[in-house]
Amino acid sequence: PLAEALLAGGMSILEITLRTPNSQFVLKELAADKRFTIGAGSINSTTQLTTAVKAGAKFLVSPGSYKPLLQAALETKLPYLPGVSTASEILLNLNLGVEVVKFFPAKNLGGPAGLKTICAPFPTMRLMPTGGITAADFSDYLQLPNVVAVGGSWMVSSELIAAQNWTQITKLASLRDSR
C-alpha cells in the first residue's frame, strides 16, 4: 500500500533501504512490478550488493564510500550513488570515475550552504543530497547547479504508515514545491 500511495502521488522511483529483515523481500516484489524503478539503499557490504542485484535492483545507494564496495558496485554497471560527506570521499569517487554521489547527511553538514562550500573545489561532481531534507527546504537544494535530485522521506513518516494514512502520503508525495 505504501508503494501504491507514492505512485499515486507521482513517485515511481523508490529506494528500498536494506535496514530490516523483510527489506530484500520488498525489494524483490517491487522490482518485479514494471510501474516502478526500484533501487536498493543503505548498502553496506558486497554481500548486500550482490543480493540486491539478484533481487532486481535497478540502482544502488550506499551511505558512505568504501573502496571495495565502490569497486564492486561499479562492476555491476548499474547506476550507483555512494555516500560522501568529506572532500576526501569526493576525491576518492572522482578518481574512480564516479560522477554523481549522495551527499549525506546533508542537513547535518550545513544544508545547501554546506553543500555549496564543500563542492566548490569539485565543479564537475554532481550530487543528490539526502538526510534531514524536508518539504520546507528541498527546493533550496534543487536550486544549486550541481544538485541533480534530492532524496527524502518526509512523505513516509512512521506515524503516517502506522495510521495507514495512504491519502496523506499520496498528497505529500505529490508535493513539488512547498512555497
Side-chain angles (χ1 to χ4, degrees):
L2 175 57
E4 293 295 338
L6 293 169
L7 184 63
M11 291 188 176
S12 61
I13 301 172
L14 306 178
E15 174 189 344
I16 307 303
T17 56
L18 305 181
R19 298 180 189 171
T20 65
N22 170 41
S23 58
Q24 287 285 359
F25 170 77
V26 172
L27 173 67
K28 187 174 183 177
E29 288 293 309
L30 288 175
D33 187 330
K34 299 305 176 200
R35 298 174 301 157
F36 297 100
T37 301
I38 300 299
S42 297
I43 295 177
N44 295 317
S45 69
T46 55
T47 301
Q48 279 185 322
L49 177 113
T50 301
T51 304
V53 171
K54 286 180 182 174
K58 300 294 186 240
F59 64 91
L60 309 164
V61 184
S62 294
S65 293
Y66 173 60
K67 193 172 181 178
L69 182 57
L70 271 162
Q71 291 170 324
L74 292 172
E75 287 175 13
T76 70
K77 305 293 185 204
L78 290 173
Y80 176 54
L81 292 169
V84 301
S85 58
T86 68
S88 294
E89 290 168 325
I90 293 171
L91 280 172
L92 170 64
N93 281 280
L94 276 173
N95 284 286
L96 289 174
V98 177
E99 298 175 354
V100 183
V101 294
K102 169 182 170 172
F103 184 71
F104 174 79
K107 186 106 173 176
N108 292 354
L109 295 172
L115 190 148
K116 187 175 178 180
T117 300
I118 197 167
C119 292
F122 311 105
T124 62
M125 183 56 82
R126 298 178 319 187
L127 300 104
M128 182 188 76
T130 69
I133 297 173
T134 67
D137 65 4
F138 78 91
S139 60
D140 296 336
Y141 290 91
L142 290 172
Q143 291 175 14
L144 298 173
N146 56 339
V147 171
V148 297
V150 296
S153 58
W154 65 85
M155 72 292 302
V156 292
S157 73
S158 55
E159 294 81 17
L160 290 174
I161 294 169
Q164 297 183 12
N165 191 341
W166 312 126
T167 303
Q168 182 63 18
I169 290 171
T170 295
K171 181 180 174 187
L172 291 170
S174 66
L175 182 63
R176 298 294 181 245
D177 195 340
S178 59
R179 294 179 208 167

